[in-house]
Amino acid sequence: MKTRKWQLARILITFFAVNMIGQAIGQEYKSGPAEKDFVGYLFAYFKGNAVADESVCFAVSTDGYTYRALNNNQPVLDSKLISTTGGVRDPHILRGENGQSFYMVLTDMTSSKGWDSNRALILLKSDDLIHWEHRVINIQDRFKGHESLKRVWAPQTIYDPAVNKYMVYWSMKHGDGADIIYYAYANSDFTDFESEPKVLFVPKNGKSCIDGDIINKNGLFYMFYKTEGHGNGLRLALTDSLTSGKWIEQPGYKQQTTDAVEGSSVFKLNQSDRYILMYDVYGKGKYQFCESEDLDRFKVIDHDVSMDFHPRHGSIIPLSRSEFKTVTDRWGTPKDITVPNRKNPILDGFYADPDVLYSNKTKKYYIYPTSDGFDGWGGYYFKTFSSDDLKEWKDEGVILDLKKDVPWGTRNAWAPTITEKKVKRDYKYYYYFTAAQKIGVAVADEPTGPFKDSGKPLIDFKPDGIKGGQEIDPAVFNDPKSGKSYLYWGNGYLAVAELNKDMVSIKQNTMKTLKIDGTFREGIYVIYRNGTYYFFWSEDDTRSEKLSGTLWYVIITNGRDPYPGE
């Protein structure tokens, strides 16, 4: 027991070191849904050993327990078009770290040709779960030293944060040797391996293991695997570093049946600390579902699970509402499944400080938010989302990357604002943003960019008489009465200046601070309606537990310019 505790302590210490290194390497763009946005599940599976059943099928669930097949339980991909054998097995699907891509790996095999007949696996990538690009990798042809290779089984993929790459792992058998789990890192396009396969895991007893299934829980990697030919059950091994070769094998078997099992897959329930471990009880033609909070002790929950199909070796990922709607729009909504309705939030993922624009050029609406969800509010890029109806929003991608496009301010990308101006019979878009507690401006010909930074901060100073606060949270306002444009900003104080006609510089002699009551903190916003200028602001910042909305205040200017300081 003391040895095991010491080993686990060593794992945790190494994890923190690896995690710090991973953070130093940098984060990818964060797009798409976060866990709070997941409303359902997608189950990828195949059906059996008949050639017609060796293909990819999809099912959906809204609760993780009730699953219904899509496309009337027929394939969603044509095996003959993506494989070299005419069949595929063991689909493993993974959500990409960037939130925009999905990865699937398959065994290129039909069992009708024998269990030692295949040499290849298939890599697939998609941005929408509907259209998939694929590439077959024949291990024996692609790499040297595999002349005696007999079979390539059950590939899976996991993101390795230590190197910021996707690892594909699978089992192989050479000659009379044992089945061993190998790995290789995929290239950035997910179309090939960066190097030849290397050994990922061999049990200490040296006997066969197949169907590796790895999940990352709090920085530790839990691998469930099948002991092939000596027990035919599920064992568990732990590591803090995928490629270290140092695995702690746990005692006992994890399946909750005396029947032989294979094809385990574990996934986390949405908005929960519970995990589901499912596996194929292949001798009985059924699936078993178990539940756990620690990935060590499991209880059978078959009585809670309902399926209208009979899966073989599959995998499950969570879905957002928009993703759920995408797959059901394509393959039909099962009769007893209701697509989750959503009123809020309208964007999948962590976003804040939205500014909304209607473009006269494209006749669409656009939201320009802060890309949130980073430690210490350390975001470094801006995105936009478009809509025709203010209900469904399309992610238009990154429009400004501070690290690449804004050398004077590469951090803290906050609270943007935008306006459309007609210039010489066409429209231009002026985008004001916070970067490193300074305010900049970038210009584009389209509301989706690309935006080009002006090359220097527009506001990187405090107005006269102001000693505290920050130069953040810009708000651009076009006065319909005077035709003038103004920029407001401030944290702890509220400043305003008239913009020059070029919209990328201010008239210095017009700058002033506005006298308002003590409720102002930040986040100014200005509109004009029926002769009245309305000023909105935040009474506190985002850390406040008491903040439940935005305090607004009205200034009536009686026809004067909207910056009198009244």
Side-chain angles (χ1 to χ4, degrees), residues 217-280:
K217 180 178 183 288
N218 298 328
L220 293 180
F221 298 96
Y222 293 67
M223 181 170 69
F224 297 86
Y225 61 95
K226 178 192 175 184
T227 55
E228 175 75 355
H230 56 104
N232 293 357
L234 300 180
R235 299 289 298 269
L236 173 63
L238 304 176
T239 187
D240 62 325
S241 175
L242 285 171
T243 60
S244 67
K246 298 177 181 178
W247 294 85
I248 300 177
E249 298 178 35
Q250 303 299 293
Y253 287 87
K254 297 305 178 184
Q255 77 275 11
Q256 302 298 301
T257 176
T258 57
D259 296 315
V261 303
E262 65 183 11
S264 70
S265 183
V266 63
F267 66 95
K268 186 175 181 292
L269 287 170
N270 297 335
Q271 297 93 43
S272 171
D273 293 328
R274 291 171 292 156
Y275 293 82
I276 300 294
L277 173 67
M278 61 182 191
Y279 41 81
D280 186 359

Side-chain angles (χ1 to χ4, degrees), residues 5 51 102 133 211 262 337 390 402 446 482 487 520 526 565:
K5 285 183 177 179
V51 175
F102 300 90
E133 297 179 356
D211 295 353
E262 65 183 11
I337 291 288
L390 292 174
L402 299 188
E446 301 290 337
S482 68
L487 187 71
F520 179 84
V526 184

